[in-house]
């Protein structure tokens, strides 16, 4: 199997980091770890907007989740917790969600946070085109019967809704300022921090100060947080070694140097999954893919351990699953389903009538370039020709123009994984492929409000997807986090959409 050099490994790691949360902490010596109660974070790109309807997930959450409260939140173990809403409850048919707000919350202006403010913010997101709008497709109306009660009426059960309310769809903005153009740059929220506009340089540096009157200030030990936009990972690595950085993620070939410098290294696994998506399961463009034996053969073509060792530099784990290894949906035994077996794969192809092989057209982009030689050789070894077609970076490969494609995706909670990858309207199900047995499981998961029961259904979904080879996952990626004295990284890899609460800053 073809492997890449150290330079290629670093590039793959950089791509994974860009997809996820490529955060590292960086700042001047006087404003970094030397200042008690301060934390400076570095991100690879500035936020596109701080307007609630335009919020993006990933690294941008470090900024907007500090300014806005969310109704719920996922802790570092990806367990859903109360936040601005102290409790929530579904109706028996899972078509009505009632949330009760905490008493005494205020916006940074001192205006009380009310159910009407929540109603206005969510309704605006629901009716305004933007990256979050589709997460509220199931919501038909929103009510605020009193100052502390919010009721969401749904057209159908939606297992993704609670998770959405722990992210951008759950932020609370001040209705009095919501439609102001200033909201995109300096919004009024009810979160733990306010933005210091004088110290902030838009697109380059964002300075946040903790609110003394915030209801949960103890959960945010840093009094001042500075978020720096620093896209060059080598510069971040050098800043870490020089003492200008509080905490940061480093590449595999940089980890030893940080340990030699006396810093603490923590490996966090399961942040993203690199997957060869066998999208055309109905055989519209590639008839062979409609045969499960062909899809299983493709899964058996890859030496996943060698991919992890040689391409990721050891920063990952082999997998046959699309779920986070810490997800309740994950089953370790499923990773034994497709051992590396080119000879067995060729036998399966022959049984399916493809002893002479066939050709797959595959889009080539920045996401795939470092694994293209490996995929090409692995498929060739079982008789399949890979025909790569260059695709501009700005073009999606998930449009139904290609029967297969390579993707690196964050390992989000099970309901969101299912919604994006398996549902008929899912972004990584471009052919809208469905199967009666799987559809029944998806409907069951959507209507199940008991978490333990839902977890069991998601395990059944995972088993079905692996057994029927809807994907050929190759690896889950890891990250090396380095911290200096006074700062601790608390992430476990279970929740890849972390906030400032991922860090403990000791005074």
């Amino acid at each position: 199997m073809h492997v890449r050099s150290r330079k290629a490994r670093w590039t793959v790691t950089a791509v994974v980091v860009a997809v996820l949360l490529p955060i590292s902490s960086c700042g001047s010596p006087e404003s970094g770890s030397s200042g008690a109660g301060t934390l400076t974070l570095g991100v690879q790109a500035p936020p596109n907007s701080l307007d609630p309807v335009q919020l993006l997930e990933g690294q941008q959450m470090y900024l907007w989740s500090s300014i806005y409260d969310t109704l719920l939140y996922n802790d570092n173990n990806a367990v859903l917790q109360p936040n601005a809403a102290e409790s929530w409850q579904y109706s028996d048919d899972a078509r009505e969600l009632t949330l009760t707000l905490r008493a005494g919350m205020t916006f940074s202006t001192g205006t009380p946070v009310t159910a009407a403010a929540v109603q206005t913010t969510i309704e605006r997101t629901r009716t305004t085109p933007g990256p979050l709008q589709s997460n509220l497709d199931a919501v038909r109306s929103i009510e605020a019967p009193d100052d502390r009660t919010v009721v969401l009426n749904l057209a159908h059960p939606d297992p993704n809704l609670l998770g959405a309310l722990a992210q951008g769809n759950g932020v609370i903005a001040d209705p009095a300022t919501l439609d102001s153009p200033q909201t995109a740059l300096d919004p009024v929220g009810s979160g733990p921090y306010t933005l210091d506009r004088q110290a902030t340089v838009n697109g380059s540096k964002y300075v946040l100060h903790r609110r003394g009157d915030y209801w949960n200030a103890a959960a945010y030990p840093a009094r001042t947080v500075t978020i720096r936009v620093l896209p060059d990972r080598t510069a971040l690595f050098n800043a870490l070694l020089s003492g200008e950085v509080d905490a940061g993620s480093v590449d595999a070939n940089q980890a030893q140097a940080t340990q030699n410098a006396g810093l603490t290294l923590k490996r966090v696994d399961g942040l993203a999954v690199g997957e060869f998506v066998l999208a055309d399961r109905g055989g519209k463009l590639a008839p062979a893919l409609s045969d499960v034996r062909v899809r299983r053969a493709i899964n058996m073509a890859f030496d996943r351990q060698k991919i992890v060792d040689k391409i990721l530099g050891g920063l990952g784990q082999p997998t046959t699953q699309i779920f986070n290894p810490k997800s309740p949906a994950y089953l370790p035994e499923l990773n034994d389903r497709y051992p590396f077996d080119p000879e067995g794969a060729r036998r399966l192809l022959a049984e399916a009538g493809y002893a002479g092989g066939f050709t797959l057209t595959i889009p080539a982009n920045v996401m795939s370039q470092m694994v293209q030689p490996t995929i090409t050789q692995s498929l060739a070894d079982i008789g399949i020709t890979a025909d790569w077609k260059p695709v501009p970076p700005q073009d999606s490969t998930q449009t139904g123009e290609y029967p297969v494609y390579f993707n690196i995706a964050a390992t989000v909670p099970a309901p969101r994984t299912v919604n994006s990858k398996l549902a008929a309207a899912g972004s990584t199900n471009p052919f809208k492929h469905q199967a009666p047995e799987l559809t029944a499981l998806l409907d069951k998961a959507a209507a199940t409000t008991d978490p333990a029961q839902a977890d069991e259904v998601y395990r059944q979904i995972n088993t079905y997807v692996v057994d029927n080879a809807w994907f050929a996952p190759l690896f889950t990626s890891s990250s090396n986090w380095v911290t200096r004295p006074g700062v601790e990284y608390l992430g476990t890899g279970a929740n890849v959409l972390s906030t400032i609460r991922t860090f403990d800053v000791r005074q």
Side-chain angles (χ1 to χ4, degrees):
M1 184 178 69
H2 186 96
V3 297
R4 303 290 289 184
S5 66
R6 170 181 288 188
K7 181 178 180 181
R9 292 202 305 267
W10 186 93
T11 304
V12 168
T13 304
V15 170
V16 172
V17 168
V19 168
L20 293 165
L21 302 175
I23 179 168
S24 17
S25 298
C26 186
S28 62
E30 65 271 18
S31 63
S33 59
S34 60
T38 66
L39 178 68
T40 304
L41 308 178
V43 298
Q44 288 194 307
N48 62 315
S49 174
L50 298 178
D51 188 315
V53 301
Q54 299 298 335
L55 299 178
L56 295 177
E57 295 172 359
Q59 58 183 339
Q60 298 194 19
M61 289 186 67
Y62 285 89
L63 180 57
W64 62 253
S65 67
S66 299
I67 298 170
Y68 294 113
D69 250 338
T70 52
L71 290 166
L72 308 175
Y73 92 99
N74 285 303
D75 65 19
N76 288 327
N77 292 312
V79 177
L80 198 66
Q81 302 284 359
N83 201 43
E86 64 181 12
S87 65
W88 69 91
Q89 184 170 354
Y90 272 108
S91 60
D92 290 341
D93 63 0
R95 292 174 183 264
E96 182 181 280
L97 175 64
T98 301
L99 302 110
T100 302
L101 302 183
R102 296 183 185 276
M105 293 186 299
T106 63
F107 292 106
S108 58
T109 57
T111 303
V113 173
T114 64
V118 175
Q119 179 187 33
T120 299
T121 307
I122 296 179
E123 180 65 19
R124 182 171 178 268
T125 302
R126 187 180 78 88
T127 57
T128 304
L132 300 174
Q133 186 181 30
S134 63
N135 294 335
L136 299 173
D137 281 348
V139 178
R140 286 296 171 262
S141 64
I142 308 162
E143 301 172 16
D146 59 55
D147 281 350
R148 293 183 56 206
T149 305
V150 180
V151 180
L152 277 63
N153 299 299
L154 312 182
H156 54 79
D158 182 2
N160 303 289
L161 183 58
L162 291 179
L165 297 179
Q167 295 163 35
N169 293 96
V171 303
I172 310 170
D174 184 356
T177 62
L178 194 51
D179 291 324
S180 168
Q182 193 63 22
T183 295
L185 299 174
D186 187 14
V188 175
S190 63
Y193 292 88
T194 57
L195 189 65
D196 184 336
R197 285 306 310 171
Q198 288 189 328
T200 292
V201 179
N202 208 42
S204 177
K205 180 179 73 170
Y206 301 84
V207 179
L208 300 160
H209 299 301
R210 190 179 62 195
R211 293 174 53 193
D213 61 345
Y214 182 64
W215 66 271
N216 195 22
Y220 297 87
R223 292 195 307 272
T224 300
V225 174
T226 301
I227 297 175
R228 298 284 300 275
V229 180
L230 299 166
D232 188 275
R233 287 181 59 76
T234 301
L236 294 178
F237 166 70
N238 290 334
L240 178 63
L241 290 184
S242 68
E244 298 177 1
V245 168
D246 294 318
S249 63
V250 299
D251 299 319
N253 60 344
Q254 299 169 331
Q256 187 60 54
T258 60
Q259 287 185 301
N260 292 343
L263 306 182
T264 300
L265 182 72
K266 179 178 181 179
R267 173 168 164 156
V268 184
D269 295 326
L271 299 178
V273 59
E275 55 197 8
F276 193 47
V277 181
L278 310 181
D280 188 16
R281 303 167 197 110
K284 181 179 179 181
L285 300 180
L289 292 181
S290 65
D291 193 315
V292 68
R293 292 170 295 185
V294 172
R295 302 196 301 270
R296 288 170 176 166
I298 291 174
N299 268 275
M300 296 162 63
F302 297 108
D303 187 340
R304 291 171 169 85
Q305 186 62 59
K306 184 173 284 190
I307 290 172
V308 168
D309 293 342
K310 301 299 183 180
I311 297 181
L312 297 184
L315 267 181
Q317 308 82 37
T319 192
T320 63
Q321 304 175 60
I322 60 176
F323 292 94
N324 189 312
K326 295 181 174 64
S327 166
Y330 190 85
L331 293 167
E333 59 268 26
L334 291 179
N335 286 333
D336 298 326
R337 182 67 177 82
Y338 299 111
F340 175 52
D341 185 2
E343 184 177 342
R346 288 192 292 270
R347 286 197 300 269
L348 278 178
L349 289 178
E351 291 175 13
Y354 295 96
F358 59 93
T359 298
L360 284 175
T361 302
I362 313 172
N365 59 11
V366 66
M367 193 81 73
S368 65
Q369 62 183 351
M370 289 300 105
V371 295
Q372 283 174 212
T374 295
I375 290 176
T376 298
Q377 187 62 57
S378 298
L379 293 178
D381 288 345
I382 66 171
I384 298 175
T385 300
D387 180 19
W388 294 91
K389 300 294 185 184
V391 175
Q394 68 272 19
D395 289 0
S396 173
T397 60
Q398 304 171 13
T399 60
E401 297 179 56
Y402 304 97
V404 297
Y405 60 89
F406 179 77
N407 188 46
I408 297 177
T411 50
V412 295
R416 294 192 60 198
T417 299
V418 165
N419 187 58
S420 65
K421 298 185 179 184
L422 306 179
S427 60
T428 47
N429 188 8
F431 292 89
K432 303 184 184 303
H433 187 71
Q434 295 180 285
E437 183 179 347
L438 181 59
T439 298
L441 288 172
L442 297 181
D443 290 343
K444 186 177 181 180
T448 302
T449 57
D450 179 84
Q453 294 178 11
D455 289 346
E456 175 56 34
V457 178
Y458 286 120
R459 285 189 285 271
Q460 295 173 26
I461 290 171
N462 190 15
T463 300
Y464 177 91
V465 170
V466 173
D467 285 347
N468 288 274
W470 273 38
F471 300 80
L474 303 179
F475 59 81
T476 57
S477 67
S478 304
S479 178
N480 283 324
W481 272 92
V482 175
T483 54
R484 299 189 67 82
V487 177
E488 181 181 1
Y489 181 75
L490 304 175
T492 66
N495 178 16
V496 300
L497 302 174
S498 300
T499 70
I500 288 172
R501 294 177 77 166
T502 311
F503 301 91
D504 182 23
V505 180
R506 293 179 292 277
Q507 300 297 324

